[in-house]
Each structure stands twice: as C-alpha cells, then as structure tokens.
Short mmCIF file of all heavy atoms in Angstrom, two decimals:
data_model
loop_
_atom_site.label_atom_id
_atom_site.label_comp_id
_atom_site.label_asym_id
_atom_site.label_seq_id
_atom_site.Cartn_x
_atom_site.Cartn_y
_atom_site.Cartn_z
N MET A 1 41.76 45.18 171.57
CA MET A 1 42.50 43.95 171.71
C MET A 1 41.56 42.83 172.24
O MET A 1 40.74 43.03 173.08
CB MET A 1 43.71 44.17 172.68
CG MET A 1 44.49 42.85 172.82
SD MET A 1 45.76 42.99 174.05
CE MET A 1 47.02 43.79 173.14
N SER A 2 41.72 41.67 171.67
CA SER A 2 40.90 40.56 172.05
C SER A 2 41.38 39.97 173.33
O SER A 2 42.55 40.14 173.74
CB SER A 2 40.78 39.52 170.99
OG SER A 2 42.16 38.96 170.80
N ASP A 3 40.55 39.18 173.99
CA ASP A 3 40.85 38.54 175.25
C ASP A 3 41.91 37.40 174.94
O ASP A 3 41.58 36.51 174.11
CB ASP A 3 39.61 37.96 175.94
CG ASP A 3 39.90 37.31 177.22
OD1 ASP A 3 41.04 37.42 177.76
OD2 ASP A 3 38.98 36.70 177.84
N LEU A 4 43.11 37.39 175.54
CA LEU A 4 44.05 36.46 175.26
C LEU A 4 44.16 35.37 176.31
O LEU A 4 45.02 34.51 176.23
CB LEU A 4 45.42 37.16 175.25
CG LEU A 4 45.59 38.19 174.14
CD1 LEU A 4 46.95 38.84 174.32
CD2 LEU A 4 45.44 37.68 172.77
N THR A 5 43.17 35.27 177.21
CA THR A 5 43.13 34.27 178.25
C THR A 5 42.86 32.98 177.68
O THR A 5 41.87 32.81 176.87
CB THR A 5 42.06 34.61 179.34
OG1 THR A 5 42.28 35.91 179.85
CG2 THR A 5 42.03 33.56 180.47
N PRO A 6 43.71 31.93 177.89
CA PRO A 6 43.45 30.62 177.30
C PRO A 6 42.16 29.98 177.83
O PRO A 6 41.79 30.18 178.93
CB PRO A 6 44.67 29.79 177.65
CG PRO A 6 45.39 30.57 178.72
CD PRO A 6 44.91 31.93 178.69
N THR A 7 41.52 29.16 176.96
CA THR A 7 40.37 28.42 177.32
C THR A 7 40.47 27.05 176.75
O THR A 7 41.35 26.78 175.95
CB THR A 7 39.11 29.09 176.72
OG1 THR A 7 39.18 28.98 175.29
CG2 THR A 7 38.93 30.55 177.10
N PRO A 8 39.56 26.11 177.11
CA PRO A 8 39.61 24.76 176.56
C PRO A 8 39.53 24.80 175.03
O PRO A 8 40.03 23.91 174.35
CB PRO A 8 38.47 24.05 177.23
CG PRO A 8 38.30 24.70 178.52
CD PRO A 8 38.60 26.19 178.28
N ASP A 9 38.74 25.67 174.50
CA ASP A 9 38.59 25.83 173.03
C ASP A 9 39.80 26.54 172.43
O ASP A 9 40.02 26.35 171.17
CB ASP A 9 37.30 26.67 172.72
CG ASP A 9 36.07 25.93 173.08
OD1 ASP A 9 36.05 24.66 173.09
OD2 ASP A 9 35.08 26.59 173.35
N ARG A 10 40.55 27.32 173.15
CA ARG A 10 41.72 28.00 172.72
C ARG A 10 42.86 27.84 173.72
O ARG A 10 43.15 28.70 174.44
CB ARG A 10 41.44 29.51 172.52
CG ARG A 10 40.51 29.82 171.41
CD ARG A 10 40.37 31.35 171.28
NE ARG A 10 40.83 32.00 172.61
CZ ARG A 10 40.38 33.04 173.09
NH1 ARG A 10 39.48 33.72 172.46
NH2 ARG A 10 40.78 33.49 174.26
N PRO A 11 43.42 26.59 173.76
CA PRO A 11 44.47 26.33 174.76
C PRO A 11 45.68 27.20 174.55
O PRO A 11 45.97 27.65 173.38
CB PRO A 11 44.72 24.87 174.65
CG PRO A 11 44.24 24.45 173.34
CD PRO A 11 43.17 25.43 172.94
N GLY A 12 46.41 27.42 175.60
CA GLY A 12 47.67 28.12 175.50
C GLY A 12 48.14 28.67 176.77
O GLY A 12 47.69 28.24 177.88
N LEU A 13 49.05 29.61 176.73
CA LEU A 13 49.74 30.16 177.88
C LEU A 13 49.62 31.67 177.80
O LEU A 13 49.91 32.22 176.70
CB LEU A 13 51.13 29.76 178.00
CG LEU A 13 52.06 30.24 179.03
CD1 LEU A 13 51.55 29.64 180.36
CD2 LEU A 13 53.46 29.73 178.79
N HIS A 14 49.17 32.42 178.82
CA HIS A 14 49.15 33.84 178.78
C HIS A 14 49.78 34.34 180.04
O HIS A 14 49.52 33.97 181.19
CB HIS A 14 47.63 34.31 178.78
CG HIS A 14 47.55 35.80 178.73
ND1 HIS A 14 47.16 36.52 179.74
CD2 HIS A 14 47.85 36.66 177.67
CE1 HIS A 14 47.10 37.80 179.40
NE2 HIS A 14 47.58 37.94 178.13
N VAL A 15 50.76 35.33 179.89
CA VAL A 15 51.40 36.01 181.02
C VAL A 15 51.24 37.44 180.82
O VAL A 15 51.39 38.03 179.72
CB VAL A 15 52.89 35.57 180.98
CG1 VAL A 15 53.68 36.34 182.05
CG2 VAL A 15 53.11 34.06 181.17
N SER A 16 51.04 38.15 181.95
CA SER A 16 50.89 39.56 181.97
C SER A 16 51.71 40.23 183.12
O SER A 16 51.72 39.64 184.22
CB SER A 16 49.44 39.91 182.08
OG SER A 16 49.27 41.31 182.13
N LYS A 17 52.39 41.32 182.83
CA LYS A 17 53.08 42.09 183.89
C LYS A 17 52.91 43.54 183.39
O LYS A 17 53.67 44.06 182.66
CB LYS A 17 54.49 41.69 183.94
CG LYS A 17 55.24 42.40 185.10
CD LYS A 17 56.50 41.67 185.40
CE LYS A 17 57.31 42.42 186.50
NZ LYS A 17 56.90 42.17 187.86
N PRO A 18 51.84 44.21 183.86
CA PRO A 18 51.49 45.51 183.36
C PRO A 18 52.56 46.58 183.66
O PRO A 18 52.65 47.56 182.96
CB PRO A 18 50.17 45.87 183.97
CG PRO A 18 49.92 44.82 185.07
CD PRO A 18 50.87 43.73 184.75
N SER A 19 53.37 46.42 184.74
CA SER A 19 54.43 47.37 185.00
C SER A 19 55.50 46.67 185.73
O SER A 19 55.27 45.62 186.32
CB SER A 19 53.82 48.58 185.83
OG SER A 19 53.64 48.20 187.13
N PRO A 20 56.66 47.28 185.85
CA PRO A 20 57.81 46.66 186.55
C PRO A 20 57.51 46.41 188.04
O PRO A 20 58.05 45.53 188.66
CB PRO A 20 58.91 47.62 186.39
CG PRO A 20 58.66 48.41 185.17
CD PRO A 20 57.10 48.47 185.16
N ASN A 21 56.60 47.24 188.62
CA ASN A 21 56.28 47.13 190.00
C ASN A 21 55.10 46.21 190.34
O ASN A 21 54.87 45.92 191.48
CB ASN A 21 56.00 48.51 190.59
CG ASN A 21 57.17 49.47 190.58
OD1 ASN A 21 58.34 49.00 190.65
ND2 ASN A 21 56.94 50.69 190.28
N ALA A 22 54.40 45.83 189.29
CA ALA A 22 53.25 44.94 189.50
C ALA A 22 53.66 43.48 189.47
O ALA A 22 54.62 43.17 188.70
CB ALA A 22 52.19 45.22 188.45
N PRO A 23 53.02 42.61 190.22
CA PRO A 23 53.40 41.16 190.10
C PRO A 23 52.82 40.66 188.80
O PRO A 23 51.80 41.05 188.23
CB PRO A 23 52.56 40.57 191.29
CG PRO A 23 51.44 41.52 191.56
CD PRO A 23 51.93 42.87 191.17
N ALA A 24 53.50 39.69 188.27
CA ALA A 24 53.12 39.01 187.10
C ALA A 24 51.96 38.10 187.38
O ALA A 24 51.77 37.67 188.49
CB ALA A 24 54.26 38.15 186.50
N THR A 25 51.16 37.89 186.40
CA THR A 25 49.97 36.91 186.43
C THR A 25 50.08 36.01 185.26
O THR A 25 50.50 36.45 184.21
CB THR A 25 48.60 37.57 186.54
OG1 THR A 25 48.44 38.36 185.34
CG2 THR A 25 48.50 38.50 187.74
N GLY A 26 49.68 34.81 185.42
CA GLY A 26 49.70 33.88 184.29
C GLY A 26 48.53 32.84 184.38
O GLY A 26 48.09 32.55 185.47
N SER A 27 48.22 32.38 183.23
CA SER A 27 47.21 31.28 183.17
C SER A 27 47.59 30.41 182.03
O SER A 27 48.15 30.82 180.99
CB SER A 27 45.79 31.85 182.98
OG SER A 27 45.65 32.63 181.77
N ALA A 28 47.27 29.11 182.16
CA ALA A 28 47.57 28.13 181.14
C ALA A 28 46.45 27.11 181.07
O ALA A 28 45.87 26.68 182.08
CB ALA A 28 48.87 27.41 181.53
N VAL A 29 46.14 26.77 179.86
CA VAL A 29 45.15 25.71 179.62
C VAL A 29 45.76 24.82 178.49
O VAL A 29 46.12 25.36 177.44
CB VAL A 29 43.74 26.25 179.20
CG1 VAL A 29 42.86 25.12 178.83
CG2 VAL A 29 43.20 27.19 180.21
N CYS A 30 45.72 23.54 178.74
CA CYS A 30 46.31 22.60 177.68
C CYS A 30 45.07 21.87 177.05
O CYS A 30 44.08 21.68 177.62
CB CYS A 30 47.25 21.59 178.43
SG CYS A 30 48.02 20.45 177.26
N HIS A 31 45.40 21.40 175.86
CA HIS A 31 44.31 20.74 175.10
C HIS A 31 43.99 19.36 175.75
O HIS A 31 43.02 18.71 175.48
CB HIS A 31 44.68 20.46 173.60
CG HIS A 31 46.07 19.81 173.40
ND1 HIS A 31 46.19 18.49 173.46
CD2 HIS A 31 47.24 20.37 173.16
CE1 HIS A 31 47.46 18.21 173.29
NE2 HIS A 31 48.13 19.37 173.08
N CYS A 32 44.85 18.92 176.66
CA CYS A 32 44.58 17.65 177.38
C CYS A 32 43.66 17.88 178.60
O CYS A 32 43.18 16.92 179.19
CB CYS A 32 45.91 17.01 177.96
SG CYS A 32 46.64 17.88 179.35
N GLY A 33 43.29 19.18 178.86
CA GLY A 33 42.36 19.45 179.90
C GLY A 33 43.03 20.09 181.16
O GLY A 33 42.31 20.55 182.05
N ALA A 34 44.34 20.01 181.32
CA ALA A 34 44.99 20.62 182.46
C ALA A 34 44.92 22.16 182.37
O ALA A 34 44.92 22.69 181.31
CB ALA A 34 46.45 20.16 182.45
N SER A 35 44.80 22.74 183.56
CA SER A 35 44.80 24.20 183.58
C SER A 35 45.46 24.64 184.97
O SER A 35 45.44 23.90 185.92
CB SER A 35 43.41 24.75 183.49
OG SER A 35 42.61 24.34 184.56
N ALA A 36 45.94 25.87 184.93
CA ALA A 36 46.56 26.44 186.12
C ALA A 36 46.69 27.91 185.97
O ALA A 36 46.62 28.49 184.89
CB ALA A 36 48.02 25.83 186.30
N THR A 37 46.74 28.57 187.13
CA THR A 37 46.98 29.96 187.18
C THR A 37 48.03 30.31 188.28
O THR A 37 48.31 29.46 189.12
CB THR A 37 45.66 30.77 187.61
OG1 THR A 37 45.27 30.35 188.94
CG2 THR A 37 44.55 30.60 186.63
N ALA A 38 48.65 31.40 188.16
CA ALA A 38 49.71 31.83 189.06
C ALA A 38 49.72 33.37 189.15
O ALA A 38 49.40 34.06 188.28
CB ALA A 38 51.07 31.33 188.54
N THR A 39 50.13 33.81 190.35
CA THR A 39 50.34 35.23 190.63
C THR A 39 51.67 35.41 191.33
O THR A 39 51.99 34.69 192.25
CB THR A 39 49.22 35.85 191.55
OG1 THR A 39 48.02 35.60 190.88
CG2 THR A 39 49.41 37.29 191.78
N GLY A 40 52.43 36.38 190.82
CA GLY A 40 53.82 36.61 191.38
C GLY A 40 54.85 36.08 190.46
O GLY A 40 54.64 35.16 189.74
N ASP A 41 55.92 36.81 190.36
CA ASP A 41 56.96 36.62 189.36
C ASP A 41 57.50 35.19 189.45
O ASP A 41 57.60 34.49 188.39
CB ASP A 41 58.08 37.64 189.43
CG ASP A 41 57.58 39.01 189.10
OD1 ASP A 41 56.41 39.24 188.89
OD2 ASP A 41 58.47 39.92 189.21
N ALA A 42 57.87 34.67 190.56
CA ALA A 42 58.39 33.39 190.78
C ALA A 42 57.37 32.25 190.39
O ALA A 42 57.67 31.29 189.74
CB ALA A 42 58.94 33.13 192.14
N GLN A 43 56.10 32.44 190.86
CA GLN A 43 55.15 31.48 190.60
C GLN A 43 54.78 31.42 189.10
O GLN A 43 54.55 30.33 188.55
CB GLN A 43 53.83 31.75 191.35
CG GLN A 43 54.03 31.55 192.92
CD GLN A 43 54.66 32.79 193.61
OE1 GLN A 43 54.98 33.77 193.01
NE2 GLN A 43 55.01 32.56 194.89
N VAL A 44 54.76 32.55 188.40
CA VAL A 44 54.44 32.57 187.02
C VAL A 44 55.62 31.95 186.25
O VAL A 44 55.40 31.19 185.26
CB VAL A 44 54.16 34.02 186.48
CG1 VAL A 44 54.18 34.09 185.02
CG2 VAL A 44 52.91 34.56 187.08
N ARG A 45 56.85 32.20 186.69
CA ARG A 45 58.04 31.55 186.01
C ARG A 45 57.85 30.00 186.15
O ARG A 45 58.10 29.33 185.10
CB ARG A 45 59.32 31.98 186.67
CG ARG A 45 60.50 31.47 186.02
CD ARG A 45 61.81 32.03 186.58
NE ARG A 45 61.92 33.44 186.41
CZ ARG A 45 61.86 34.35 187.39
NH1 ARG A 45 61.71 34.02 188.67
NH2 ARG A 45 61.88 35.69 187.12
N ALA A 46 57.43 29.50 187.30
CA ALA A 46 57.28 28.08 187.50
C ALA A 46 56.11 27.51 186.62
O ALA A 46 56.19 26.46 186.12
CB ALA A 46 57.04 27.78 188.95
N LEU A 47 55.06 28.35 186.48
CA LEU A 47 53.91 27.98 185.62
C LEU A 47 54.41 27.82 184.18
O LEU A 47 54.06 26.81 183.51
CB LEU A 47 52.80 28.96 185.73
CG LEU A 47 51.68 28.82 184.77
CD1 LEU A 47 50.79 27.62 185.13
CD2 LEU A 47 50.83 30.09 184.68
N VAL A 48 55.18 28.78 183.68
CA VAL A 48 55.64 28.74 182.33
C VAL A 48 56.58 27.51 182.12
O VAL A 48 56.43 26.75 181.12
CB VAL A 48 56.36 29.99 181.91
CG1 VAL A 48 57.08 29.88 180.64
CG2 VAL A 48 55.40 31.20 181.92
N GLU A 49 57.46 27.27 183.05
CA GLU A 49 58.38 26.13 182.96
C GLU A 49 57.61 24.88 182.98
O GLU A 49 57.91 23.95 182.14
CB GLU A 49 59.40 26.19 184.02
CG GLU A 49 60.43 27.34 183.83
CD GLU A 49 61.35 27.58 185.04
OE1 GLU A 49 61.13 26.92 186.07
OE2 GLU A 49 62.19 28.47 184.88
N GLY A 50 56.67 24.69 183.86
CA GLY A 50 55.89 23.46 183.94
C GLY A 50 55.04 23.20 182.70
O GLY A 50 54.95 22.11 182.24
N TYR A 51 54.41 24.30 182.21
CA TYR A 51 53.57 24.10 181.02
C TYR A 51 54.44 23.77 179.84
O TYR A 51 54.04 22.87 179.09
CB TYR A 51 52.84 25.49 180.67
CG TYR A 51 51.98 25.38 179.49
CD1 TYR A 51 50.70 24.88 179.55
CD2 TYR A 51 52.38 25.88 178.28
CE1 TYR A 51 49.84 24.81 178.50
CE2 TYR A 51 51.54 25.79 177.15
CZ TYR A 51 50.32 25.29 177.22
OH TYR A 51 49.49 25.19 176.12
N THR A 52 55.58 24.44 179.65
CA THR A 52 56.49 24.08 178.51
C THR A 52 56.99 22.69 178.57
O THR A 52 57.12 21.98 177.58
CB THR A 52 57.67 25.12 178.54
OG1 THR A 52 57.05 26.48 178.38
CG2 THR A 52 58.55 24.91 177.27
N ALA A 53 57.33 22.21 179.77
CA ALA A 53 57.92 20.91 179.99
C ALA A 53 56.84 19.75 179.82
O ALA A 53 57.28 18.63 179.44
CB ALA A 53 58.62 20.82 181.31
N ASN A 54 55.61 20.03 180.25
CA ASN A 54 54.68 18.94 180.44
C ASN A 54 53.39 19.05 179.61
O ASN A 54 52.62 18.12 179.51
CB ASN A 54 54.21 18.89 181.92
CG ASN A 54 55.47 18.55 182.78
OD1 ASN A 54 56.14 17.60 182.61
ND2 ASN A 54 55.71 19.47 183.76
N HIS A 55 53.17 20.20 179.04
CA HIS A 55 51.91 20.40 178.24
C HIS A 55 52.17 21.20 176.96
O HIS A 55 53.35 21.41 176.63
CB HIS A 55 50.88 21.21 179.18
CG HIS A 55 50.47 20.40 180.40
ND1 HIS A 55 49.63 19.34 180.33
CD2 HIS A 55 50.93 20.49 181.64
CE1 HIS A 55 49.53 18.86 181.55
NE2 HIS A 55 50.25 19.57 182.27
N GLY A 56 51.07 21.63 176.36
CA GLY A 56 51.29 22.39 175.15
C GLY A 56 52.19 21.69 174.14
O GLY A 56 51.85 20.59 173.62
N PRO A 57 53.36 22.31 173.88
CA PRO A 57 54.25 21.70 172.87
C PRO A 57 54.85 20.31 173.26
O PRO A 57 55.48 19.68 172.49
CB PRO A 57 55.34 22.73 172.76
CG PRO A 57 55.31 23.56 174.00
CD PRO A 57 53.86 23.45 174.49
N ALA A 58 54.72 20.00 174.56
CA ALA A 58 55.42 18.73 175.08
C ALA A 58 54.67 17.47 174.63
O ALA A 58 55.25 16.40 174.68
CB ALA A 58 55.46 18.79 176.56
N HIS A 59 53.41 17.56 174.26
CA HIS A 59 52.71 16.38 173.75
C HIS A 59 51.82 16.69 172.59
O HIS A 59 51.40 17.86 172.43
CB HIS A 59 52.04 15.57 174.92
CG HIS A 59 51.05 16.41 175.65
ND1 HIS A 59 49.74 16.64 175.27
CD2 HIS A 59 51.23 17.04 176.82
CE1 HIS A 59 49.14 17.39 176.24
NE2 HIS A 59 49.95 17.65 177.16
N ASN A 60 51.36 15.67 171.87
CA ASN A 60 50.69 15.94 170.65
C ASN A 60 49.17 16.07 170.91
O ASN A 60 48.67 15.73 172.04
CB ASN A 60 50.85 14.89 169.57
CG ASN A 60 50.38 13.50 169.93
OD1 ASN A 60 49.54 13.42 170.86
ND2 ASN A 60 50.85 12.49 169.34
N ARG A 61 48.38 16.62 169.97
CA ARG A 61 46.98 16.80 170.13
C ARG A 61 46.13 15.54 170.12
O ARG A 61 45.10 15.41 170.76
CB ARG A 61 46.42 17.76 169.05
CG ARG A 61 46.92 19.14 169.22
CD ARG A 61 46.17 20.07 168.30
NE ARG A 61 46.60 21.40 168.41
CZ ARG A 61 46.03 22.24 169.28
NH1 ARG A 61 45.07 21.85 170.04
NH2 ARG A 61 46.47 23.49 169.42
N SER A 62 46.59 14.55 169.44
CA SER A 62 45.76 13.32 169.18
C SER A 62 45.62 12.47 170.43
O SER A 62 44.51 11.95 170.75
CB SER A 62 46.24 12.52 168.08
OG SER A 62 47.50 12.02 168.35
N GLY A 63 46.63 12.26 171.26
CA GLY A 63 46.53 11.35 172.28
C GLY A 63 47.14 11.83 173.62
O GLY A 63 47.07 11.13 174.66
N GLY A 64 47.69 13.06 173.66
CA GLY A 64 48.28 13.53 174.89
C GLY A 64 49.58 12.91 175.17
O GLY A 64 50.08 13.02 176.32
N ASP A 65 50.19 12.20 174.26
CA ASP A 65 51.49 11.60 174.49
C ASP A 65 52.58 12.72 174.49
O ASP A 65 52.54 13.56 173.76
CB ASP A 65 51.84 10.61 173.45
CG ASP A 65 50.89 9.53 173.37
OD1 ASP A 65 50.61 8.88 174.43
OD2 ASP A 65 50.38 9.12 172.26
N ARG A 66 53.59 12.50 175.43
CA ARG A 66 54.68 13.43 175.41
C ARG A 66 55.61 13.18 174.21
O ARG A 66 55.76 12.09 173.79
CB ARG A 66 55.53 13.29 176.68
CG ARG A 66 54.82 13.81 177.90
CD ARG A 66 55.82 13.71 179.06
NE ARG A 66 55.22 14.33 180.18
CZ ARG A 66 55.76 14.45 181.33
NH1 ARG A 66 57.00 14.01 181.49
NH2 ARG A 66 55.17 15.01 182.31
N ARG A 67 56.18 14.21 173.78
CA ARG A 67 57.07 14.06 172.63
C ARG A 67 58.45 14.57 173.02
O ARG A 67 58.57 15.36 173.85
CB ARG A 67 56.63 14.97 171.47
CG ARG A 67 55.32 14.42 170.90
CD ARG A 67 55.45 14.33 169.41
NE ARG A 67 54.23 13.68 169.01
CZ ARG A 67 54.28 12.97 167.89
NH1 ARG A 67 55.36 12.76 167.24
NH2 ARG A 67 53.24 12.38 167.51
#
C-alpha cells in the first residue's frame, strides 16, 4: 500500500484508527498551504470538521477563495 499521508504536492485528509481501542490519528494538508495533525478521537473529529469547512473542498485551487 502506498503512503496516504497528505503532502503539499498531494493535499488531502488522512485519518487512521487501526483498532477500536487505539486512538484515531489524522493529518491534513490543503493546497493553500495550511496543515494540521491530531491525535485522539475527538481531536481528529474536529480536524476533519475544520478541514471540510475551511479547506480542501471549501475553496478553489486558483485563489484560495471559499466557495
């Protein structure tokens, strides 16, 4: 399997929870340059919500404007 961790060249969101007893981990990199990481189920949930609301699909690639 390839490395799914987002990078500035391959922006995106990656979440992992290897087992029900393990804490979730997440990382996000947006094409606008913003990046974040989180550990723990609640923190990863907040990371996903923030990325979805403010980055990635929330604005376009050309100027970083929100849509």
Side-chain angles (χ1 to χ4, degrees):
M1 178 186 279
S2 65
D3 183 8
L4 300 175
T5 303
T7 66
D9 293 331
R10 293 182 339 211
L13 180 65
H14 181 254
V15 174
S16 177
K17 186 164 174 80
S19 75
N21 298 326
T25 59
S27 59
V29 176
C30 183
H31 56 82
C32 73
S35 64
T37 60
T39 302
D41 295 1
Q43 291 82 5
V44 170
R45 184 176 296 113
L47 172 72
V48 170
E49 290 170 355
Y51 181 82
T52 302
N54 301 302
H55 297 284
H59 55 85
N60 68 18
R61 290 188 178 275
S62 62
D65 298 310
R66 286 187 178 182
R67 293 228 173 211

